[in-house]
């Protein structure tokens, strides 16, 4: 049997969740020092370019909560009772004035009774309970008060009862009283541990029409009743003492007897004992002009409780929080279907980030960017670098064939890692020959890996690249931390994807220097210790060059300060500011060693310090290198461009990157 229900999945033609945008934002925050878990939470909180985040949804929840309190008050039932009472008294006075056959003493006595009614609405209704009405219109209005009170009291505990019992007969009221009696017996039996599933089924078979939500078991029935009853208690607590006293007195007149009030009070006591965890004692401050009846006021208190739960869910501030925790049905009820669609999209995005392998949980239980995520982020950064280098947006997605070198005219079988262009003719021919040997050629031709041949290119020189990045406290203090990481990641992506034969080493130098994997550097928190140990960084770079004697050494140094630290012979760090002559001498000596190893050196100066400019310029000139002072946004393009400049086969593809752009050059 098929089941159909209202579609609630949002636009079926909408684009899938944009993981690229999410990953870019998460990567930026991780490089700024956030943990991947917090970075993901921040993105879900802020949302994307075309996607509302949790903050927007939480703001809507708060606005709706304020609107309910600002727009309404809890005096609606009392206002209705007062209007009906005034109507009854006015009709009775008119009847007394028109009745010419009435005894004058009787008329005077009745008029005195009406004149001396208490100012309290509840007391006046109570005093008139035994009054012998002469006007049928007045009698009907007074009976309507008792009927209204009964329906409102029931509507407080059973939503919709006010409308369902409008115009109810004595038989209908008797059925309500019988249902309440049976319900209390069921609750009390359950509290004693004597209730059975059959007891619940018998109750629902007899009184199921009173429960349109059709609970499946006693617990579901208890939950719905307790939530509503607790909201009714909070409503009473939200009233002024005078309003509360009047309503309690009026409840004795509901349906013309105190029986209904007694049954409801008994039910409340049973529910509170069975569900003590509900909020039975809270209150709210209503300040509006629109009066709410008892049933509507209880519904408003339920809405406020639901909004509070949504605010907590949307905050995601508790341990183990997940987007799956958000009650989408409640969100749709309170804010509309689009809000639920937005929250569902965020939930799908969170699930996709975890399930597609972009975020991985390490052995310590912490989330980390996976290698797959690092590659994806690196590709995005590399595309941005290419855009800046090209100087126009149209080249963002350009692909360059034959990037490994000039074509030699020969072909060979494809091997894993090859980036040379395919020889399409040879590859298809191989597939046809292979299929012929397997029983005759078939259409369409199906290529297999062993069929593919690539066009050979002339061998190019392998490079050993050392990227030295300054991690002293000034880099973090002056906002250069994230651009430095973006630069390293873009260069790493380029080398690992296009120049796999090159050996790239990332060296971070602060008070000490150390070799880092790209994942370590990307997740590195800002360092706040003083010291720029270029000497140690160059020592590690030269060690890297010596490990690759047949490769072309390429030295790239990103820094915003002169050397202020060096390694002593015993391995201890010496620090002094202003830079000590011995520190400068040690750095220069290692730079000379790099030159003797044949390194092509480029220094990237960040900041406008004249002393730093003079020092870097002299260092570059000493080794016949270059100095560039790029703006922070262009740092990645400058570093990648310098690396590509050392690859002669790439110069034609990317153009003369040094001839333009926003950086300026010294000593080239």
């Amino acid at each position: 049997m098929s089941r159909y229900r209202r579609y609630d999945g949002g636009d079926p033609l909408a684009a899938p969740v944009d993981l690229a945008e999410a990953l870019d934002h998460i990567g930026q925050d991780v490089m700024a020092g956030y943990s991947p878990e917090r970075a993901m939470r921040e993105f879900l909180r802020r949302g994307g370019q075309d996607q509302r985040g949790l903050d927007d949804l939480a703001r809507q929840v708060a606005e709706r909560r304020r609107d309910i309190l600002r727009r309404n008050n809890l005096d609606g039932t009392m206002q209705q009772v007062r209007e009906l009472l005034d109507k009854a008294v006015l009709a009775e006075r008119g009847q007394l004035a028109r009745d010419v056959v009435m005894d004058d003493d009787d008329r005077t006595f009745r008029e005195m009774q009406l004149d001396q009614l208490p100012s309290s609405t509840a007391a006046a209704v109570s005093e008139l309970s035994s009054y012998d009405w002469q006007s049928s219109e007045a009698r009907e209005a007074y009976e309507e008060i008792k009927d209204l009170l009964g329906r409102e009291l029931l509507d407080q505990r059973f939503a919709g009862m006010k409308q369902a019992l409008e115009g109810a007969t004595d038989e209908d009221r008797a059925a309500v009283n019988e249902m309440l009696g049976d319900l209390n017996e069921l609750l009390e039996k359950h509290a004693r541990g004597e209730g059975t599933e059959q007891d619940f089924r018998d109750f629902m078979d007899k009184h199921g029409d009173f429960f349109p939500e059709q609970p499946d078991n006693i617990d579901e029935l208890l939950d719905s009743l307790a939530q509503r009853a607790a909201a009714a208690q909070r409503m009473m607590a939200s009233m002024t003492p005078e309003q509360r006293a009047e309503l309690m007195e009026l409840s004795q007149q509901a349906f013309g007897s105190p029986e209904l009030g007694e049954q409801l009070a008994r039910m409340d006591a049973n529910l509170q004992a069975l569900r003590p965890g509900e909020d039975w004692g809270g209150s709210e401050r209503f300040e509006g002009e629109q009066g709410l009846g008892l049933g509507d006021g209880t519904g408003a208190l339920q809405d406020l409780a639901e909004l509070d739960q949504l605010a907590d869910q949307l905050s995601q501030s508790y341990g183990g929080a997940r987007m799956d925790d958000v009650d989408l049905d409640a969100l749709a009820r309170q804010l509309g279907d689009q809000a639920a669609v937005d929250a569902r999209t965020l939930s799908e995005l969170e699930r996709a980030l975890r399930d597609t392998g972009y975020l991985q949980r390490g052995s310590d239980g912490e989330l980390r960017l996976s290698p797959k995520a690092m590659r994806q982020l690196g590709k995005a950064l590399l595309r941005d670098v290419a855009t800046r280098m090209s100087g126009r947006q149209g080249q963002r997605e350009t692909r360059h064939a034959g990037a490994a070198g000039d074509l030699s005219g020969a072909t060979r079988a494809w091997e894993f890692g090859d980036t040379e262009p395919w020889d399409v003719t040879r590859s298809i021919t191989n597939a046809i020959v292979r299929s012929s040997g397997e029983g005759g050629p078939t259409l369409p031709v199906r290529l297999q890996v062993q069929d593919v041949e690539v066009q050979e290119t002339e061998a190019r020189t392998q490079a050993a690249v050392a990227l030295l990045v300054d991690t002293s406290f000034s880099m973090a203090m002056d906002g250069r931390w994230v651009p430095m990481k973006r630069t390293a990641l873009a260069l790493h992506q380029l080398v690992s994807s296009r120049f796999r034969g090159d050996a790239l080493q990332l060296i971070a130098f602060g008070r000490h220097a150390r070799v880092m994997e790209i994942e370590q550097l990307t997740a590195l928190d800002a360092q706040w210790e003083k010291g720029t140990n270029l000497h140690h960084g160059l020592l590690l770079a030269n060690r890297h060059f010596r490990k690759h004697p047949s490769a072309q050494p390429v030295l790239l140094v990103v820094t915003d300060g002169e050397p202020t630290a060096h390694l002593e012979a015993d391995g201890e760090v010496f620090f002094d500011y202003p830079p000590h002559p011995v520190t400068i001498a040690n750095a220069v000596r290692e730079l000379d060693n790099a030159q003797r190893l044949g390194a092509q050196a480029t220094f990237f100066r960040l900041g406008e310090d004249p002393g730093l400019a003079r020092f870097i310029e002299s260092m570059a000139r000493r080794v016949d290198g270059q100095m560039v002072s790029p703006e922070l946004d262009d740092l990645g393009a400058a570093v990648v461009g310098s690396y590509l400049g050392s690859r002669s086969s790439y110069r034609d593809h990317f153009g003369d990157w040094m001839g333009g752009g926003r950086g300026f050059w010294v000593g080239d």
Side-chain angles (χ1 to χ4, degrees):
M1 181 180 66
S2 299
R3 289 181 177 270
Y4 298 91
R5 60 184 177 86
R6 179 174 176 268
Y7 176 73
D8 59 357
D11 184 0
L13 301 180
V17 291
D18 188 356
L19 287 181
E21 181 188 21
L23 186 61
D24 181 59
H25 283 273
I26 291 171
Q28 299 299 325
D29 285 345
V30 168
M31 287 190 284
Y34 287 19
S35 69
E37 179 79 35
R38 182 184 173 193
M40 181 179 68
R41 293 290 165 209
E42 285 295 308
F43 177 75
L44 296 176
R45 185 178 61 78
R46 295 190 302 258
Q49 183 176 355
D50 300 314
Q51 169 67 46
R52 285 195 300 173
L54 294 173
D55 279 358
D56 283 338
L57 294 174
R59 176 182 51 77
Q60 278 191 278
V61 165
E63 287 177 354
R64 170 149 172 73
R65 194 183 199 285
R66 286 194 297 269
D67 182 62
I68 291 174
L69 293 174
R70 282 198 303 253
R71 186 161 34 91
N72 301 302
N73 65 57
L74 301 179
D75 208 26
T77 297
M78 293 300 299
Q79 291 173 7
Q80 286 184 277
V81 171
R82 169 55 69 182
E83 290 170 2
L84 289 170
L85 180 63
D86 290 344
K87 178 181 177 180
V89 171
L90 182 62
E92 182 69 6
R93 289 185 186 278
Q95 179 63 32
L96 293 178
R98 290 191 301 270
D99 194 341
V100 295
V101 299
M102 179 179 289
D103 179 76
D104 288 340
D105 291 338
D106 186 25
R107 189 196 323 272
T108 301
F109 177 73
R110 291 176 180 276
E111 288 176 345
M112 287 179 56
Q113 281 185 288
L114 297 178
D115 290 339
Q116 295 176 2
L117 285 175
S119 58
S120 164
T121 301
V125 171
S126 178
E127 187 164 316
L128 290 172
S129 61
S130 58
Y131 182 81
D132 181 19
W133 299 93
Q134 299 301 299
S135 165
S136 59
E137 181 183 358
R139 184 181 299 106
E140 289 176 2
Y142 184 78
E143 292 298 323
E144 190 175 345
I145 290 175
K146 296 189 290 185
D147 183 67
L148 171 68
L149 289 170
R151 289 187 293 119
E152 285 279 17
L153 286 172
L154 286 170
D155 203 40
Q156 266 196 306
R157 275 72 171 190
F158 307 93
M161 276 287 199
K162 180 179 179 181
Q163 291 76 24
L165 289 177
E166 191 169 3
T169 63
D170 289 340
E171 290 76 11
D172 295 329
R173 299 187 188 97
V176 169
N177 283 327
E178 183 181 10
M179 181 273 292
L180 289 174
D182 291 346
L183 176 60
N184 278 317
E185 289 180 9
L186 178 69
L187 297 180
E188 289 161 1
K189 195 172 182 180
H190 183 73
R192 294 192 302 269
E194 300 172 359
T196 65
E197 180 67 20
Q198 189 58 46
D199 291 333
F200 170 75
R201 291 298 166 201
D202 291 343
F203 175 81
M204 292 300 297
D205 289 343
K206 184 177 181 181
H207 303 295
D209 291 343
F210 289 100
F211 304 92
E213 65 275 14
Q214 290 297 302
D216 290 330
N217 51 57
I218 184 66
D219 288 322
E220 288 188 11
L221 177 65
L222 279 172
D223 289 340
S224 62
L225 289 175
Q227 289 169 8
R228 186 80 178 177
Q233 294 291 332
R234 294 196 299 276
M235 179 183 176
M236 296 297 289
S238 301
M239 294 179 174
T240 64
E242 294 77 14
Q243 289 174 322
R244 193 159 49 247
E246 291 222 332
L247 275 175
M248 293 183 69
E249 185 174 348
L250 280 173
S251 66
Q252 302 300 312
Q253 303 298 322
F255 288 158
S257 76
E259 183 180 356
L260 176 64
E262 292 169 358
Q263 288 278 33
L264 292 176
R266 179 184 168 195
M267 185 185 78
D268 286 349
N270 287 327
L271 290 171
Q272 190 164 357
L274 289 165
R275 290 292 186 270
E278 293 289 339
D279 182 7
W280 296 92
S283 64
E284 299 287 349
R285 182 178 178 83
F286 289 81
E287 300 174 338
E289 297 180 357
Q290 180 176 325
L292 295 176
L294 296 183
D296 291 338
T298 298
L301 267 296
Q302 277 191 294
D303 283 342
L304 292 175
E306 191 167 68
L307 289 167
D308 288 340
Q309 290 176 347
L310 285 172
D312 187 48
Q313 294 164 6
L314 292 171
S315 74
Q316 296 281 287
S317 58
Y318 49 90
R322 296 287 292 266
M323 280 300 305
D324 289 341
D325 299 340
V326 178
D327 188 336
L328 299 181
D329 291 335
L331 199 61
R333 280 194 299 272
Q334 298 299 335
L335 303 184
D337 290 339
Q338 185 56 47
V341 170
D342 289 334
R344 182 182 294 107
T345 302
L346 291 174
S347 179
E348 291 171 355
L349 195 150
E350 179 192 43
R351 192 179 304 113
L353 283 169
R354 297 179 187 273
D355 294 348
T356 55
Y358 285 117
L359 297 177
Q360 292 180 345
R361 197 167 296 279
S363 58
D364 57 359
E366 295 294 326
L367 280 181
R368 293 185 174 85
L369 290 179
S370 68
K372 179 180 179 181
M374 297 295 294
R375 288 193 299 272
Q376 196 73 16
L377 186 56
K379 289 177 183 177
L381 295 175
L382 194 54
R383 285 196 298 269
D384 289 339
V385 165
T387 299
R388 291 186 175 277
M389 292 173 64
S390 69
R392 55 190 178 89
Q393 293 292 331
Q395 291 189 7
R396 170 179 284 268
E397 297 294 339
T398 300
R399 298 289 184 267
H400 301 288
D406 298 326
L407 297 179
S408 66
T411 65
R412 60 176 173 80
W414 176 86
E415 296 178 359
F416 179 77
D418 283 340
T419 60
E420 289 82 2
W422 285 19
D423 188 312
V424 178
T425 303
R426 292 287 303 170
S427 298
I428 294 177
T429 300
N430 291 341
I432 294 173
V433 171
R434 175 183 49 75
S435 61
S436 297
E438 295 174 353
T442 59
L443 293 176
V445 176
R446 298 186 181 278
L447 285 174
Q448 295 185 7
V449 172
Q450 62 265 33
D451 301 328
V452 178
E453 290 196 21
V454 296
Q455 300 177 18
E456 284 194 324
T457 57
E458 295 177 354
R460 59 177 174 80
T461 304
Q462 182 189 28
V465 186
L467 174 62
L468 278 65
V469 290
D470 189 343
T471 55
S472 60
F473 84 102
S474 59
M475 290 285 287
M477 182 177 66
D478 295 332
R480 297 160 186 154
W481 198 254
V482 173
M484 173 271 290
K485 291 183 176 183
R486 290 170 60 90
T487 298
L489 185 52
L491 182 61
H492 180 273
Q493 176 64 27
L494 177 62
V495 173
S496 61
S497 61
R498 291 297 187 95
F499 294 92
R500 295 174 184 171
D502 287 358
L504 172 65
Q505 187 166 87
L506 303 175
I507 300 171
F509 65 99
R511 198 174 187 89
H512 297 83
R514 53 177 168 154
V515 176
M516 286 191 169
E517 297 297 327
I518 186 61
E519 293 82 6
Q520 291 177 286
L521 182 59
T522 303
L524 184 66
D525 287 338
Q527 306 295 297
W528 299 103
E529 60 179 7
K530 295 181 179 180
T532 304
N533 199 334
L534 179 59
H535 169 235
H536 193 185
L538 290 171
L539 278 169
L540 296 177
N542 288 335
R543 181 188 301 172
H544 176 59
F545 296 151
R546 293 187 183 99
K547 288 180 179 178
H548 302 84
S550 62
Q552 169 62 54
V554 178
L555 176 64
L556 307 172
V557 181
V558 178
T559 185
D560 70 345
E562 300 173 74
T564 55
H566 68 268
L567 281 185
E568 298 277 64
D570 59 1
E572 293 297 318
V573 172
F574 174 87
F575 168 79
D576 193 22
Y577 183 84
H580 194 281
V582 175
T583 299
I584 300 295
N586 277 281
V588 169
R589 184 177 68 249
E590 282 306 312
L591 183 62
D592 290 342
N593 289 337
Q595 184 184 35
R596 281 191 287 273
L597 291 170
Q600 299 176 10
T602 305
F603 292 85
F604 302 90
R605 175 175 65 83
L606 304 179
E608 301 299 328
D609 178 39
L612 174 64
R614 287 192 297 270
F615 172 77
I616 296 297
E617 181 180 354
S618 64
M619 294 277 278
R621 185 180 296 114
R622 183 182 184 90
V623 294
D624 195 24
Q626 297 169 330
M627 182 189 85
V628 61
S629 179
E631 295 186 12
L632 281 178
D633 289 344
D634 283 334
L635 177 60
V639 172
V640 169
S642 180
Y643 166 71
L644 291 174
S646 70
R647 319 300 303 158
S648 58
S649 63
Y650 262 64
R651 185 181 297 273
D652 292 336
H653 294 295
F654 283 89
D656 186 2
W657 68 282
M658 293 177 287
R662 292 155 62 190
F664 64 91
W665 295 88
V666 178
D668 51 0

